[in-house]
Amino acid sequence: MPLCTSLTLYLLSLVFLGETRGDSGFAPLDGAPPSKIAVVGAGIGGTATAHFLRQHFGPEVRIDVFERKAVGGRLATVTVNQQDYESGGSIIHSLNLHMQDFVKQLGLKYRKSVAGKTAVFNGKEFILEETDWYLLDLFRLWWRYGISFIRLQMWVEEIMEKFMRIYKYQAHGYAFSSVEELLHSLGGTGFLNMTHRSLSESLLELGVSQRFIDEVIAPIMRVNYGQNISIPAFVGAVSLAGAQANLWAVEGGNKLVCSGLLKLAKANFIQAQVTTISLHLKGESHQYELSYTTQTDKVSDFYDIVVIATPLQQNVNSGISFQGFEPQLPDIAGFYHQTVASIVHGYMNCSYFGFPDPKLFPFASVLTTDTPGLFFNSAASACPVNITAGFRRKQPQEAGVYKVFSPKPLEKNELKTLFKSYYSVQVTDWQAYPHYGSTQELPPVTLHDSLYYLNGIEWAGSAMEMSSVAAKNIALLAYHRWNRQLEMIDQKDLMHKIKTEL
Ligand SMILES: Cc1cc2nc3c(=O)[nH]c(=O)nc-3n(C[C@H](O)[C@H](O)[C@H](O)COP(=O)(O)OP(=O)(O)OC[C@H]3O[C@@H](n4cnc5c(N)ncnc54)[C@H](O)[C@@H]3O)c2cc1C
Ligand SMILES: *[C@@H]1O[C@H](CO)[C@@H](O)[C@H](O)[C@H]1NC(C)=O
Ligand SMILES: *[C@@H]1O[C@H](CO)[C@@H](O)[C@H](O)[C@H]1NC(C)=O
Ligand SMILES: *[C@@H]1O[C@H](CO)[C@@H](O)[C@H](O)[C@H]1NC(C)=O
Ligand SMILES: *[C@@H]1O[C@H](CO)[C@@H](O)[C@H](O)[C@H]1NC(C)=O
């Protein structure tokens, strides 16, 4: 090759390299990376966002994470008898890959669930009882419900398989500008329709029997979301996946993931309530001013990018007001569903369940059917977040720690019905998850140019992993939008694209 040609090639390649670098490096209009990013909320959503933002924007940017209460948010523990118990989000599925990855990176340990039998109570008696015999259980299910449960299992598996595509898309750096775009890329219009259609309708169409829906599906929806079988099919499927085997939790408490991610992200933690986010023009672009109150001060500061990682629905009362946005930011529709977690230390009243002799009561968890007047959703013997080698569940004749979920705080007479006597009751009153059906809309992800909202994903499904998926998506979205790499956002036909990229 003559020298001049190779020199030309060399120069050409420099030009091209220069161009690609301009495309994929820190190059907004004025070429500068963001200097400050704010994340509001230090639950799993906010802390995972901080972590992914750090990964994508690099070590220079300052990341401030605001939290008005405790790191962890809806991942929280209460202490009974010097042991901690999960009062909020407790179980993690083995296919929740972001959560798994966090635990691995943070050097945390898995806490396996301790075996225990489950039964379904209809207010009068148990209608379904798990036994020691796997084959017998299978036979009973078959006898009672025909092939419903096989159809159901296949349906959930198919949805899970499609959902798992998100990890590939995210690993390749693709982002989505809305929850709709994200769902559509995973499962097409089928997934979108599942956010509108009711679970019961979808299952009936699938050929699952009404009896199976009432006796098996409804109790699972009640324990996971405190709601009935009218919830959308998509969140129903998320909930059913969480009712399969291979569940785990984090040794020491799930909230350890949140504090760990804050450290890993080298985020600047600010204990404060954000009160106002206002828009300010700065040359060609804008900045967001966050006003916040700490225990002692009222402060404000400017940010290039802001991520809100807490629900903005009215009845959750984030206390944030938006100013200077023209037109005004839309109100976020819908409301959250109340679920009360009572951690009770005492003696279960097995007579109430038809077992006068507690020694004969074989169940660790009681689920319930959707029966009018039934005052609790579930009651289960609870395991502490630290499980020692010799740990065993307490027998029903001994004093034990139980977790009861109910739609309202338990009245004294209700406690006296479920428990013969008790030493203590600790109540956590959650605005727990969306009240599905209170709006038909999926909330927006981009509220304004560089102002993002994480918790809209909960209206597709509310779970730790869903918040983590949304966190990764927002970090990617913010990064690509800042750098104007629009080809990485809302790409169609990703399955095909990714195959050819490899
Ligand atoms: C009882 C219960 C059981 C559950 N069970 C499971 C389960 O088994 N498995 C599962 O995967 N999921 C479960 N979930 C759901 C799961 O807990 C949530 O989906 C997840 O924790 C939501 O995390 P997040 O970070 O998005 O929101 P949050 O955890 O709510 O975090 C938002 C944070 O923002 C803070 N904040 C709000 N406003 C402001 C402000 N103005 N300024 C500063 N900070 C502010 C709040 O204090 C809060 O800490 C359960 C939830 C509940 C309540
Ligand atoms: C989703 O609903 C739309 C409109 O009702 C319909 O056209 C489409 O075929 C549905 N998708 C699937 C996969 O069922
Ligand atoms: C489920 O609950 C909602 C209220 O939250 C109610 O409107 C609906 O009729 C219930 N559905 C069933 C099947 O009971
Ligand atoms: C519980 O587990 C966590 C994580 O492994 C550990 O840091 C903590 O010290 C443990 N606490 C107790 C009381 O054993
Ligand atoms: C226990 O349940 C039985 C049967 O429902 C009820 O009669 C009794 O009042 C309950 N409470 C106690 C403390 O036994």
Side-chain angles (χ1 to χ4, degrees), residues 95-126:
L95 295 177
N96 286 175
L97 300 190
H98 284 312
M99 287 302 292
Q100 255 184 44
D101 202 40
F102 298 156
V103 167
K104 207 181 292 168
Q105 285 194 56
L106 296 171
L108 293 168
K109 285 194 271 242
Y110 286 52
R111 173 169 67 92
K112 279 262 157 61
S113 35
V114 180
K117 295 190 198 96
T118 301
V120 177
F121 184 65
N122 71 359
K124 287 205 185 82
E125 57 185 354
F126 286 115

Side-chain angles (χ1 to χ4, degrees), residues 40-46 66-70 72-75 87-91 272-274 309-311 318 320 339 405 430 432-433 454-455 458 462-465 467:
V40 184
I44 186 65
F66 294 89
E67 173 55 56
R68 67 175 169 190
K69 288 183 187 153
R74 275 172 277 167
L75 306 184
S87 59
S90 55
I91 54 171
Q273 148 102 29
V274 173
T310 186
S318 72
I320 304 171
T339 287
F405 284 140
W430 296 107
Y433 13 66
L454 180 126
N455 293 75
E458 292 190 66
S462 176
M464 295 170 231
E465 186 70 9
S467 288

Side-chain angles (χ1 to χ4, degrees), residues 338-352:
Q338 180 184 26
T339 287
V340 178
S342 305
I343 309 280
V344 182
H345 183 205
Y347 294 87
M348 186 158 236
N349 181 10
C350 299
S351 303
Y352 174 65

Side-chain angles (χ1 to χ4, degrees), residues 3-25:
L3 187 66
C4 60
T5 329
S6 70
L7 187 65
T8 316
L9 275 177
Y10 176 62
L11 286 175
L12 267 177
S13 72
L14 273 188
V15 171
F16 281 123
L17 271 179
E19 253 182 36
T20 27
R21 201 174 277 150
D23 258 6
S24 62

Side-chain angles (χ1 to χ4, degrees), residues 152 155-156 159 193-210 212-214 216-222 225 227-241 436:
L152 178 79
W155 183 74
V156 172
I159 292 163
N193 294 357
M194 284 177 68
T195 64
H196 299 300
R197 294 188 70 201
S198 80
L199 177 64
S200 58
E201 201 185 326
S202 298
L203 292 183
L204 285 171
E205 192 182 280
L206 199 69
V208 174
S209 72
Q210 185 69 51
F212 188 78
I213 293 175
D214 292 340
V216 180
I217 306 291
I220 295 173
M221 295 311 126
R222 282 168 65 80
Y225 288 112
Q227 292 165 71
N228 65 29
I229 53 172
S230 299
I231 68 173
F234 194 84
V235 61
V238 169
S239 171
L240 288 167
Y436 295 102

Side-chain angles (χ1 to χ4, degrees), residues 243-375:
Q244 289 176 318
N246 302 322
L247 304 174
W248 57 281
V250 180
E251 173 80 9
N254 294 329
K255 67 180 181 184
L256 293 181
V257 174
C258 302
S259 47
L261 286 174
L262 279 180
K263 279 209 191 96
L264 191 65
K266 297 202 164 55
N268 179 37
F269 180 70
I270 300 175
Q271 182 81 56
Q273 148 102 29
V274 173
T275 52
T276 313
I277 300 177
S278 48
L279 180 65
H280 291 263
L281 291 177
K282 178 197 169 199
E284 289 283 287
S285 59
H286 15 248
Q287 273 197 322
Y288 304 96
E289 183 182 18
L290 261 67
S291 306
Y292 55 93
T293 36
T294 67
Q295 282 215 316
T296 49
D297 275 320
K298 278 188 169 43
V299 191
S300 82
D301 206 345
F302 287 91
Y303 295 89
D304 300 308
I305 296 173
V306 177
V307 179
I308 298 173
T310 186
L312 287 176
Q313 273 73 13
Q314 295 236 314
N315 76 329
V316 186
N317 195 15
S318 72
I320 304 171
S321 74
F322 296 93
Q323 284 174 9
F325 291 89
E326 208 43 72
Q328 278 190 3
L329 298 185
D331 278 340
I332 304 283
F335 55 88
Y336 268 59
H337 187 89
Q338 180 184 26
T339 287
V340 178
S342 305
I343 309 280
V344 182
H345 183 205
Y347 294 87
M348 186 158 236
N349 181 10
C350 299
S351 303
Y352 174 65
F353 296 107
F355 286 77
D357 182 357
K359 288 203 184 78
L360 299 179
F361 188 81
F363 306 116
S365 349
V366 175
L367 308 186
T368 59
T369 53
D370 194 0
T371 306
L374 205 53
F375 59 89

